[in-house]
Coordinates of all heavy atoms in Angstrom, one line a residue:
A1 N 6.3 34.1 -4.8 CA 7.2 33.0 -5.0 C 8.5 33.2 -4.4 O 9.2 32.3 -4.0 CB 7.3 32.7 -6.5
H2 N 9.0 34.5 -4.3 CA 10.3 34.7 -3.8 C 10.4 34.3 -2.3 O 11.5 34.1 -1.8 CB 10.7 36.2 -4.0 CG 9.9 37.1 -3.2 ND1 8.7 37.6 -3.5 CD2 10.3 37.7 -2.0 CE1 8.3 38.4 -2.5 NE2 9.2 38.5 -1.6
H3 N 9.3 34.3 -1.6 CA 9.3 33.9 -0.2 C 9.7 32.4 -0.1 O 10.3 32.0 0.9 CB 7.9 34.1 0.4 CG 7.5 35.5 0.5 ND1 8.2 36.4 1.4 CD2 6.6 36.2 -0.1 CE1 7.6 37.6 1.3 NE2 6.7 37.5 0.4
Y4 N 9.3 31.6 -1.0 CA 9.7 30.2 -1.0 C 11.2 30.1 -1.2 O 11.9 29.3 -0.6 CB 9.0 29.4 -2.1 CG 7.6 29.1 -1.8 CD1 6.6 29.8 -2.6 CD2 7.2 28.3 -0.7 CE1 5.2 29.6 -2.3 CE2 5.8 28.1 -0.5 CZ 4.9 28.7 -1.2 OH 3.6 28.5 -0.9
M5 N 11.8 30.9 -2.1 CA 13.2 30.8 -2.5 C 14.1 31.4 -1.4 O 15.2 30.9 -1.1 CB 13.4 31.4 -3.8 CG 14.8 31.3 -4.3 SD 15.0 31.9 -5.9 CE 15.3 30.4 -6.8
Y6 N 13.6 32.5 -0.8 CA 14.5 33.3 0.1 C 14.0 33.4 1.5 O 14.6 34.0 2.3 CB 14.7 34.7 -0.5 CG 15.3 34.8 -1.8 CD1 14.6 35.1 -3.0 CD2 16.7 34.4 -2.0 CE1 15.2 35.1 -4.2 CE2 17.3 34.4 -3.2 CZ 16.5 34.8 -4.3 OH 17.1 34.8 -5.6
G7 N 12.9 32.7 1.8 CA 12.3 32.7 3.1 C 13.2 32.0 4.2 O 14.1 31.2 3.8
P8 N 13.0 32.2 5.4 CA 13.8 31.6 6.5 C 13.6 30.1 6.6 O 14.5 29.4 7.2 CB 13.3 32.3 7.7 CG 11.9 32.8 7.4 CD 11.9 33.1 6.0
Y9 N 12.5 29.5 6.1 CA 12.3 28.1 6.2 C 12.6 27.3 5.0 O 12.2 26.2 4.9 CB 10.8 27.9 6.6 CG 10.5 28.5 7.9 CD1 9.7 29.7 8.0 CD2 11.0 28.1 9.1 CE1 9.4 30.3 9.2 CE2 10.7 28.7 10.3 CZ 9.9 29.8 10.3 OH 9.6 30.4 11.5
R10 N 13.3 27.9 4.0 CA 13.6 27.2 2.8 C 14.6 26.1 3.2 O 15.4 26.2 4.1 CB 14.2 28.1 1.8 CG 15.6 28.6 2.1 CD 16.0 29.7 1.1 NE 17.4 30.1 1.3 CZ 17.7 31.1 2.1 NH1 16.8 31.8 2.8 NH2 19.0 31.5 2.2
I11 N 14.6 25.0 2.4 CA 15.5 23.9 2.6 C 16.8 24.1 1.9 O 16.8 24.4 0.7 CB 14.8 22.6 2.2 CG1 13.6 22.3 3.0 CG2 15.8 21.4 2.3 CD1 12.8 21.1 2.5
K12 N 17.9 24.1 2.6 CA 19.2 24.4 2.0 C 20.1 23.2 2.0 O 21.2 23.2 1.5 CB 19.9 25.5 2.7 CG 19.1 26.8 2.7 CD 19.9 27.9 3.3 CE 19.2 28.4 4.5 NZ 20.0 29.5 5.2
H13 N 19.7 22.1 2.5 CA 20.5 20.9 2.6 C 19.6 19.6 2.6 O 18.4 19.8 3.0 CB 21.4 20.9 3.8 CG 20.7 21.2 5.0 ND1 20.6 22.6 5.5 CD2 20.0 20.5 5.9 CE1 19.9 22.6 6.6 NE2 19.5 21.3 6.9
P14 N 20.1 18.5 2.3 CA 19.2 17.3 2.3 C 18.7 16.9 3.8 O 19.4 17.1 4.7 CB 20.1 16.1 1.9 CG 21.3 16.8 1.2 CD 21.4 18.1 1.9
L15 N 17.5 16.5 3.8 CA 16.9 16.0 5.1 C 16.4 14.6 4.9 O 15.9 14.2 3.9 CB 15.7 16.9 5.5 CG 16.0 18.4 5.7 CD1 14.7 19.2 5.9 CD2 17.0 18.6 6.9
I16 N 16.6 13.8 5.9 CA 16.1 12.4 5.9 C 15.1 12.2 7.0 O 15.3 12.6 8.2 CB 17.3 11.4 6.1 CG1 18.2 11.5 4.9 CG2 16.8 10.0 6.3 CD1 19.5 10.7 5.0
R17 N 13.9 11.7 6.7 CA 12.9 11.5 7.7 C 13.3 10.4 8.7 O 13.8 9.4 8.3 CB 11.6 11.1 6.9 CG 10.4 11.0 7.9 CD 9.1 10.6 7.2 NE 9.2 9.4 6.5 CZ 8.7 9.3 5.2 NH1 8.1 10.3 4.6 NH2 8.8 8.2 4.6
I18 N 13.1 10.7 10.0 CA 13.5 9.8 11.0 C 12.2 9.3 11.8 O 12.3 8.3 12.5 CB 14.5 10.4 12.0 CG1 14.0 11.7 12.6 CG2 15.8 10.6 11.3 CD1 14.8 12.2 13.7
G19 N 11.1 9.9 11.6 CA 9.9 9.5 12.2 C 8.9 8.9 11.2 O 9.3 8.6 10.1
Q20 N 7.7 8.7 11.6 CA 6.7 8.2 10.7 C 6.3 9.3 9.7 O 6.4 10.5 10.0 CB 5.4 7.8 11.5 CG 5.7 6.6 12.4 CD 6.0 5.3 11.6 OE1 5.4 5.1 10.6 NE2 7.0 4.6 12.0
R21 N 5.7 8.9 8.6 CA 5.3 9.9 7.6 C 4.3 10.8 8.3 O 3.3 10.4 8.9 CB 4.7 9.1 6.5 CG 4.6 9.9 5.2 CD 4.2 9.0 4.1 NE 4.5 9.7 2.9 CZ 4.4 9.2 1.7 NH1 3.8 8.0 1.5 NH2 4.7 9.9 0.6
G22 N 4.5 12.1 8.1 CA 3.5 13.1 8.6 C 3.9 13.7 10.0 O 3.3 14.6 10.5
E23 N 4.9 13.0 10.7 CA 5.3 13.5 12.0 C 6.1 14.8 11.9 O 6.2 15.5 12.9 CB 6.1 12.4 12.7 CG 5.2 11.3 13.4 CD 6.1 10.4 14.2 OE1 6.9 9.7 13.6 OE2 6.0 10.5 15.4
G24 N 6.8 15.0 10.8 CA 7.6 16.2 10.7 C 9.0 16.0 11.4 O 9.6 17.0 11.8
K25 N 9.5 14.8 11.6 CA 10.7 14.5 12.2 C 11.8 14.2 11.1 O 11.7 13.3 10.4 CB 10.7 13.4 13.2 CG 9.8 13.6 14.4 CD 9.8 12.5 15.3 CE 8.8 12.7 16.5 NZ 8.8 11.6 17.4
W26 N 12.8 15.1 11.1 CA 13.8 15.0 10.1 C 15.2 15.2 10.7 O 15.3 15.7 11.8 CB 13.7 16.1 9.0 CG 12.3 16.1 8.4 CD1 11.2 16.7 8.9 CD2 11.9 15.5 7.2 NE1 10.1 16.5 8.0 CE2 10.6 15.7 7.0 CE3 12.6 14.7 6.3 CZ2 9.9 15.2 5.9 CZ3 11.9 14.2 5.2 CH2 10.6 14.5 5.0
R27 N 16.2 14.7 10.0 CA 17.6 15.0 10.4 C 18.4 15.5 9.2 O 18.1 15.1 8.1 CB 18.3 13.8 11.1 CG 18.6 12.7 10.1 CD 19.5 11.6 10.8 NE 19.7 10.5 10.0 CZ 20.6 10.4 9.0 NH1 21.4 11.5 8.7 NH2 20.7 9.3 8.2
R28 N 19.4 16.3 9.4 CA 20.2 16.8 8.3 C 21.1 15.7 7.9 O 21.6 14.9 8.6 CB 21.0 18.0 8.8 CG 21.7 18.7 7.7 CD 22.4 19.9 8.2 NE 23.2 20.5 7.1 CZ 23.6 21.7 7.1 NH1 23.4 22.5 8.2 NH2 24.3 22.2 6.1
A29 N 21.3 15.6 6.5 CA 22.2 14.6 6.0 C 23.2 15.3 5.0 O 22.9 16.4 4.5 CB 21.4 13.6 5.2
S30 N 24.3 14.7 4.7 CA 25.2 15.2 3.7 C 24.7 14.9 2.4 O 23.8 14.0 2.2 CB 26.6 14.6 3.9 OG 26.5 13.2 3.6
W31 N 25.1 15.6 1.4 CA 24.7 15.3 0.0 C 25.1 13.9 -0.4 O 24.4 13.1 -1.0 CB 25.3 16.3 -1.0 CG 24.6 17.6 -0.9 CD1 25.0 18.8 -0.3 CD2 23.3 17.9 -1.5 NE1 24.1 19.7 -0.5 CE2 23.0 19.2 -1.2 CE3 22.4 17.1 -2.2 CZ2 21.8 19.8 -1.6 CZ3 21.2 17.7 -2.6 CH2 20.9 19.1 -2.3
E32 N 26.3 13.5 0.1 CA 26.8 12.1 -0.3 C 25.9 11.1 0.3 O 25.5 10.1 -0.3 CB 28.2 11.9 0.3 CG 28.8 10.6 -0.1 CD 30.3 10.5 0.4 OE1 31.0 11.5 0.5 OE2 30.7 9.3 0.7
E33 N 25.5 11.2 1.6 CA 24.6 10.3 2.2 C 23.2 10.2 1.5 O 22.7 9.2 1.3 CB 24.4 10.6 3.7 CG 23.5 9.7 4.4 CD 23.2 10.1 5.9 OE1 23.5 11.2 6.3 OE2 22.5 9.3 6.6
A34 N 22.7 11.4 1.2 CA 21.4 11.5 0.6 C 21.4 10.8 -0.8 O 20.5 10.0 -1.2 CB 20.9 12.9 0.4
L35 N 22.4 11.1 -1.6 CA 22.5 10.5 -2.9 C 22.8 9.0 -2.8 O 22.2 8.2 -3.6 CB 23.7 11.1 -3.7 CG 23.4 12.6 -4.1 CD1 24.6 13.2 -4.7 CD2 22.2 12.6 -5.1
Q36 N 23.5 8.5 -1.9 CA 23.8 7.1 -1.7 C 22.5 6.4 -1.3 O 22.1 5.3 -1.7 CB 24.8 6.8 -0.6 CG 25.2 5.4 -0.5 CD 25.9 4.9 -1.8 OE1 26.8 5.4 -2.3 NE2 25.3 3.8 -2.3
L37 N 21.7 7.0 -0.4 CA 20.4 6.5 0.0 C 19.4 6.3 -1.2 O 18.8 5.3 -1.4 CB 19.7 7.3 1.1 CG 18.4 6.9 1.6 CD1 18.5 5.5 2.3 CD2 17.8 7.9 2.5
I38 N 19.4 7.4 -2.0 CA 18.6 7.3 -3.2 C 19.0 6.2 -4.2 O 18.2 5.4 -4.7 CB 18.6 8.7 -4.0 CG1 17.9 9.7 -3.1 CG2 17.9 8.6 -5.3 CD1 18.1 11.2 -3.6
A39 N 20.3 6.1 -4.4 CA 20.9 5.1 -5.3 C 20.5 3.7 -4.7 O 20.1 2.8 -5.5 CB 22.4 5.3 -5.4
D40 N 20.7 3.5 -3.4 CA 20.5 2.2 -2.8 C 19.0 1.8 -2.9 O 18.7 0.6 -3.3 CB 20.9 2.2 -1.3 CG 22.4 2.2 -1.1 OD1 23.1 2.0 -2.1 OD2 22.8 2.5 0.0
R41 N 18.1 2.7 -2.7 CA 16.7 2.4 -2.8 C 16.2 2.2 -4.2 O 15.4 1.4 -4.5 CB 15.9 3.6 -2.2 CG 16.2 3.8 -0.7 CD 15.1 3.3 0.2 NE 15.4 3.3 1.6 CZ 14.9 4.2 2.4 NH1 14.0 5.1 2.1 NH2 15.3 4.2 3.7
T42 N 16.9 2.9 -5.2 CA 16.5 2.7 -6.6 C 17.0 1.3 -7.0 O 16.2 0.5 -7.6 CB 17.2 3.7 -7.5 OG1 16.8 5.0 -7.1 CG2 16.9 3.5 -8.9
V43 N 18.2 0.9 -6.7 CA 18.7 -0.5 -7.0 C 17.8 -1.5 -6.3 O 17.5 -2.5 -6.9 CB 20.2 -0.6 -6.7 CG1 20.6 -2.0 -6.8 CG2 21.0 0.3 -7.5
D44 N 17.5 -1.3 -5.1 CA 16.6 -2.3 -4.4 C 15.3 -2.4 -5.0 O 14.8 -3.6 -5.2 CB 16.4 -1.8 -2.9 CG 15.7 -2.8 -2.1 OD1 16.1 -4.0 -2.0 OD2 14.7 -2.4 -1.5
A45 N 14.7 -1.4 -5.5 CA 13.4 -1.4 -6.2 C 13.5 -2.2 -7.5 O 12.7 -3.0 -7.9 CB 12.8 0.0 -6.4
L46 N 14.6 -1.9 -8.2 CA 14.9 -2.6 -9.5 C 15.0 -4.1 -9.3 O 14.4 -4.9 -10.0 CB 16.1 -2.1 -10.1 CG 16.1 -0.7 -10.8 CD1 17.5 -0.2 -11.1 CD2 15.2 -0.7 -12.0
V47 N 15.8 -4.5 -8.3 CA 16.0 -5.9 -8.0 C 14.8 -6.6 -7.5 O 14.4 -7.7 -7.9 CB 17.2 -6.1 -7.0 CG1 17.4 -7.5 -6.6 CG2 18.5 -5.6 -7.7
R48 N 14.1 -6.0 -6.5 CA 13.0 -6.7 -5.9 C 11.7 -6.6 -6.7 O 10.9 -7.6 -6.7 CB 12.7 -6.0 -4.5 CG 13.7 -6.3 -3.5 CD 13.3 -5.6 -2.2 NE 14.2 -5.9 -1.1 CZ 13.8 -6.1 0.1 NH1 12.6 -6.1 0.4 NH2 14.7 -6.4 1.0
H49 N 11.5 -5.5 -7.3 CA 10.1 -5.3 -8.0 C 10.2 -5.1 -9.5 O 9.1 -5.1 -10.1 CB 9.4 -4.2 -7.3 CG 9.4 -4.3 -5.8 ND1 8.6 -5.2 -5.1 CD2 10.0 -3.6 -4.8 CE1 8.8 -5.1 -3.8 NE2 9.6 -4.1 -3.6
G50 N 11.3 -4.9 -10.0 CA 11.4 -4.7 -11.5 C 11.4 -3.2 -11.9 O 10.9 -2.4 -11.1
P51 N 12.0 -2.9 -13.0 CA 12.1 -1.5 -13.4 C 10.8 -0.8 -13.7 O 10.7 0.4 -13.6 CB 12.9 -1.6 -14.7 CG 12.7 -3.0 -15.2 CD 12.5 -3.9 -14.0
D52 N 9.7 -1.6 -14.0 CA 8.5 -0.9 -14.3 C 7.8 -0.4 -13.1 O 6.7 0.2 -13.2 CB 7.5 -1.8 -15.1 CG 7.2 -3.1 -14.4 OD1 8.0 -3.5 -13.5 OD2 6.2 -3.7 -14.7
T53 N 8.3 -0.6 -11.9 CA 7.8 -0.1 -10.7 C 8.4 1.3 -10.3 O 8.0 1.9 -9.4 CB 8.0 -1.0 -9.5 OG1 9.4 -1.2 -9.3 CG2 7.4 -2.4 -9.8
I54 N 9.3 1.8 -11.1 CA 9.9 3.1 -10.9 C 9.4 4.1 -11.9 O 9.3 3.8 -13.1 CB 11.4 3.0 -11.0 CG1 12.0 2.0 -9.9 CG2 12.1 4.4 -10.9 CD1 13.5 1.8 -10.0
S55 N 9.0 5.2 -11.4 CA 8.5 6.3 -12.2 C 9.4 7.5 -12.0 O 9.5 8.0 -10.9 CB 7.0 6.6 -11.8 OG 6.6 7.7 -12.6
V56 N 10.0 8.0 -13.1 CA 10.9 9.2 -13.0 C 10.1 10.4 -13.5 O 9.6 10.4 -14.6 CB 12.1 9.0 -13.9 CG1 13.0 10.2 -13.9 CG2 12.9 7.7 -13.4
F57 N 10.0 11.4 -12.7 CA 9.3 12.6 -13.0 C 10.3 13.7 -13.4 O 11.2 14.0 -12.6 CB 8.4 13.1 -11.8 CG 7.6 14.4 -12.2 CD1 6.4 14.3 -12.8 CD2 8.2 15.6 -11.8 CE1 5.7 15.4 -13.1 CE2 7.4 16.8 -12.1 CZ 6.2 16.7 -12.8
S58 N 10.2 14.2 -14.6 CA 11.2 15.3 -15.0 C 10.4 16.5 -15.4 O 9.2 16.4 -15.7 CB 12.1 14.8 -16.1 OG 11.3 14.5 -17.3
P59 N 11.0 17.7 -15.3 CA 10.3 18.9 -15.7 C 9.9 18.9 -17.2 O 10.4 18.1 -18.0 CB 11.3 20.0 -15.5 CG 12.6 19.4 -15.1 CD 12.4 17.9 -15.0
S60 N 9.0 19.8 -17.5 CA 8.6 19.9 -18.9 C 9.7 20.3 -19.8 O 10.6 21.1 -19.4 CB 7.4 20.8 -19.0 OG 7.8 22.1 -18.8
P61 N 9.8 19.8 -21.0 CA 10.9 20.2 -21.9 C 11.0 21.7 -22.2 O 12.1 22.2 -22.5 CB 10.7 19.3 -23.1 CG 9.2 18.9 -23.1 CD 8.9 18.9 -21.6
A62 N 9.9 22.4 -22.2 CA 9.9 23.8 -22.5 C 10.6 24.6 -21.4 O 11.1 25.7 -21.7 CB 8.5 24.3 -22.7
V63 N 10.5 24.1 -20.2 CA 11.1 24.9 -19.1 C 12.5 24.5 -18.8 O 13.4 25.4 -18.5 CB 10.2 24.7 -17.8 CG1 10.8 25.3 -16.6 CG2 8.8 25.1 -18.0
A64 N 12.8 23.3 -18.8 CA 14.2 22.8 -18.5 C 14.6 21.6 -19.4 O 14.5 20.5 -19.0 CB 14.2 22.4 -17.0
P65 N 15.0 21.9 -20.6 CA 15.3 20.9 -21.6 C 16.4 19.9 -21.1 O 16.3 18.7 -21.4 CB 15.6 21.6 -22.9 CG 15.9 23.0 -22.5 CD 15.2 23.2 -21.2
V66 N 17.4 20.4 -20.5 CA 18.5 19.5 -20.0 C 18.0 18.6 -18.9 O 18.3 17.4 -19.0 CB 19.7 20.3 -19.6 CG1 20.8 19.4 -19.0 CG2 20.3 21.2 -20.7
S67 N 17.3 19.1 -17.9 CA 16.8 18.2 -16.9 C 15.8 17.2 -17.4 O 15.7 16.1 -17.0 CB 16.1 19.1 -15.8 OG 17.1 19.9 -15.1
Y68 N 15.0 17.7 -18.4 CA 14.0 16.8 -19.0 C 14.7 15.6 -19.7 O 14.4 14.5 -19.5 CB 13.2 17.6 -20.0 CG 12.4 16.7 -20.9 CD1 11.1 16.2 -20.6 CD2 12.8 16.4 -22.2 CE1 10.4 15.4 -21.4 CE2 12.1 15.6 -23.1 CZ 10.9 15.1 -22.7 OH 10.1 14.3 -23.5
A69 N 15.7 16.0 -20.5 CA 16.5 14.9 -21.2 C 17.2 14.0 -20.2 O 17.2 12.8 -20.5 CB 17.5 15.6 -22.2
A70 N 17.8 14.5 -19.2 CA 18.5 13.7 -18.2 C 17.5 12.7 -17.5 O 17.8 11.6 -17.3 CB 19.2 14.6 -17.2
G71 N 16.4 13.2 -17.1 CA 15.4 12.4 -16.5 C 14.9 11.3 -17.4 O 14.8 10.1 -17.0
H72 N 14.6 11.6 -18.6 CA 14.1 10.6 -19.5 C 15.2 9.6 -19.9 O 15.0 8.4 -20.1 CB 13.5 11.3 -20.8 CG 12.1 11.7 -20.5 ND1 11.0 10.9 -20.9 CD2 11.6 12.8 -19.9 CE1 9.9 11.6 -20.5 NE2 10.3 12.7 -19.9
R73 N 16.5 10.1 -20.0 CA 17.6 9.2 -20.3 C 17.8 8.2 -19.2 O 18.0 7.0 -19.4 CB 18.8 10.0 -20.6 CG 20.1 9.2 -20.9 CD 20.0 8.6 -22.3 NE 21.2 7.9 -22.6 CZ 21.3 6.8 -23.2 NH1 20.2 6.1 -23.6 NH2 22.4 6.2 -23.4
F74 N 17.8 8.7 -18.0 CA 18.0 7.9 -16.8 C 16.9 6.8 -16.8 O 17.2 5.6 -16.6 CB 17.9 8.7 -15.5 CG 17.9 7.8 -14.3 CD1 19.1 7.1 -13.9 CD2 16.8 7.8 -13.4 CE1 19.1 6.3 -12.8 CE2 16.8 7.0 -12.3 CZ 17.9 6.3 -12.0
A75 N 15.6 7.2 -17.0 CA 14.5 6.2 -17.0 C 14.7 5.2 -18.1 O 14.5 4.0 -17.8 CB 13.2 6.9 -17.1
H76 N 15.1 5.6 -19.2 CA 15.3 4.7 -20.3 C 16.4 3.7 -20.0 O 16.3 2.5 -20.3 CB 15.7 5.5 -21.6 CG 16.1 4.6 -22.7 ND1 15.1 3.9 -23.5 CD2 17.3 4.3 -23.3 CE1 15.8 3.2 -24.4 NE2 17.1 3.4 -24.3
L77 N 17.5 4.2 -19.4 CA 18.7 3.3 -19.1 C 18.3 2.2 -18.1 O 18.8 1.1 -18.2 CB 19.8 4.1 -18.6 CG 20.5 5.0 -19.6 CD1 21.6 5.9 -19.0 CD2 21.2 4.1 -20.7
I78 N 17.4 2.5 -17.1 CA 17.1 1.5 -16.1 C 15.8 0.8 -16.5 O 15.4 -0.2 -15.7 CB 17.0 2.1 -14.7 CG1 15.9 3.1 -14.6 CG2 18.4 2.7 -14.3 CD1 15.7 3.6 -13.1
G79 N 15.1 1.2 -17.5 CA 13.9 0.5 -17.9 C 12.7 1.0 -17.2 O 11.6 0.3 -17.1
A80 N 12.7 2.2 -16.6 CA 11.6 2.7 -15.8 C 10.7 3.6 -16.7 O 11.0 3.7 -17.9 CB 12.2 3.6 -14.7
H81 N 9.6 4.1 -16.1 CA 8.7 5.0 -16.8 C 9.2 6.4 -16.6 O 9.6 6.7 -15.5 CB 7.3 4.8 -16.3 CG 6.8 3.4 -16.4 ND1 6.3 3.0 -17.6 CD2 6.7 2.4 -15.6 CE1 5.9 1.7 -17.5 NE2 6.1 1.4 -16.3
A82 N 8.9 7.2 -17.6 CA 9.3 8.7 -17.4 C 8.0 9.5 -17.6 O 7.2 9.2 -18.5 CB 10.3 9.1 -18.5
H83 N 7.8 10.5 -16.8 CA 6.7 11.4 -16.9 C 7.1 12.8 -16.7 O 8.1 13.1 -16.2 CB 5.7 11.0 -15.7 CG 5.3 9.6 -15.7 ND1 4.4 9.0 -16.5 CD2 5.8 8.5 -14.9 CE1 4.3 7.7 -16.3 NE2 5.1 7.4 -15.3
T84 N 6.2 13.7 -17.2 CA 6.5 15.1 -17.1 C 5.2 15.8 -16.5 O 4.2 15.1 -16.3 CB 6.8 15.8 -18.4 OG1 5.6 15.8 -19.2 CG2 7.9 15.2 -19.1
F85 N 5.2 17.0 -16.3 CA 4.1 17.8 -15.9 C 2.9 17.6 -16.8 O 1.8 17.5 -16.4 CB 4.4 19.3 -15.8 CG 3.2 20.2 -15.5 CD1 2.7 20.3 -14.3 CD2 2.7 20.9 -16.6 CE1 1.6 21.1 -14.1 CE2 1.6 21.7 -16.4 CZ 1.0 21.8 -15.1
F86 N 3.2 17.5 -18.1 CA 2.1 17.3 -19.1 C 1.3 16.0 -18.8 O 0.1 16.0 -19.0 CB 2.7 17.3 -20.5 CG 3.3 18.6 -20.9 CD1 4.6 18.7 -21.3 CD2 2.6 19.8 -20.8 CE1 5.2 19.9 -21.6 CE2 3.2 21.0 -21.1 CZ 4.5 21.1 -21.5
D87 N 2.0 15.0 -18.4 CA 1.3 13.7 -18.1 C 0.4 13.8 -16.9 O -0.7 13.4 -16.9 CB 2.4 12.6 -17.9 CG 3.2 12.3 -19.1 OD1 2.7 12.3 -20.2 OD2 4.4 12.2 -18.9
W88 N 1.0 14.5 -15.9 CA 0.2 14.7 -14.7 C -1.0 15.6 -14.9 O -2.1 15.3 -14.5 CB 1.1 15.4 -13.6 CG 0.4 15.8 -12.4 CD1 0.1 15.0 -11.3 CD2 -0.1 17.1 -12.1 NE1 -0.5 15.7 -10.4 CE2 -0.7 17.0 -10.8 CE3 -0.1 18.3 -12.7 CZ2 -1.3 18.1 -10.2 CZ3 -0.7 19.4 -12.1 CH2 -1.2 19.3 -10.9
Y89 N -0.8 16.7 -15.6 CA -1.9 17.6 -15.9 C -2.9 17.0 -16.8 O -4.1 17.3 -16.6 CB -1.3 18.9 -16.6 CG -2.3 20.0 -16.8 CD1 -2.7 20.7 -15.7 CD2 -2.8 20.2 -18.1 CE1 -3.6 21.7 -15.9 CE2 -3.7 21.2 -18.3 CZ -4.1 22.0 -17.2 OH -5.0 23.0 -17.3
G90 N -2.5 16.1 -17.7 CA -3.5 15.5 -18.6 C -4.5 14.6 -17.9 O -5.6 14.4 -18.3
D91 N -4.1 14.1 -16.7 CA -4.9 13.2 -15.9 C -6.0 14.0 -15.2 O -6.9 13.4 -14.6 CB -4.1 12.3 -15.0 CG -3.3 11.2 -15.7 OD1 -3.6 11.0 -16.9 OD2 -2.4 10.7 -15.1
H92 N -5.8 15.3 -15.1 CA -6.8 16.1 -14.4 C -7.9 16.6 -15.3 O -8.7 17.4 -15.1 CB -6.1 17.2 -13.6 CG -5.4 16.6 -12.4 ND1 -4.4 15.7 -12.5 CD2 -5.5 16.9 -11.1 CE1 -3.9 15.4 -11.3 NE2 -4.6 16.1 -10.4

């Protein structure tokens, strides 16, 4: 696992896809640009398709309780669905 964290190909900054899905074409972005893109796409999905079309995946509460709570709180505030690893694993 340490190879993923400390390997030469680890991702250290946001990347935005510039090609088709699966092409592997990316460009480096600033954190501000990446967060703005995520916010814009989230608001667009809310307005166009409704909050029930958004699914927020947060870590399991046993591993990261603060991230879990933040993800579920965010989903609750916008009216979206919240899921954890337990929900994913249960479907298998």
Side-chain angles (χ1 to χ4, degrees):
H2 71 279
H3 294 291
Y4 289 111
M5 182 176 252
Y6 299 110
Y9 299 109
R10 71 187 185 272
I11 297 174
K12 297 186 245 180
H13 49 269
L15 299 173
I16 295 176
R17 184 176 55 225
I18 57 173
Q20 293 296 317
R21 199 171 199 178
E23 278 187 290
K25 294 182 181 178
W26 305 87
R27 71 170 176 81
R28 186 176 180 164
S30 68
W31 283 104
E32 183 178 333
E33 180 187 9
L35 291 172
Q36 187 63 54
L37 179 64
I38 292 166
D40 290 345
R41 299 258 173 106
T42 301
V43 170
D44 186 53
L46 286 168
V47 171
R48 288 179 178 224
H49 308 291
D52 60 336
T53 62
I54 296 176
S55 178
V56 177
F57 181 86
S58 64
S60 66
V63 175
V66 174
S67 294
Y68 167 81
H72 279 266
R73 179 73 175 137
F74 173 69
H76 174 74
L77 288 172
I78 65 173
H81 300 281
H83 306 280
T84 67
F85 170 79
F86 298 122
D87 299 315
W88 173 83
Y89 185 74
D91 288 346
H92 285 61

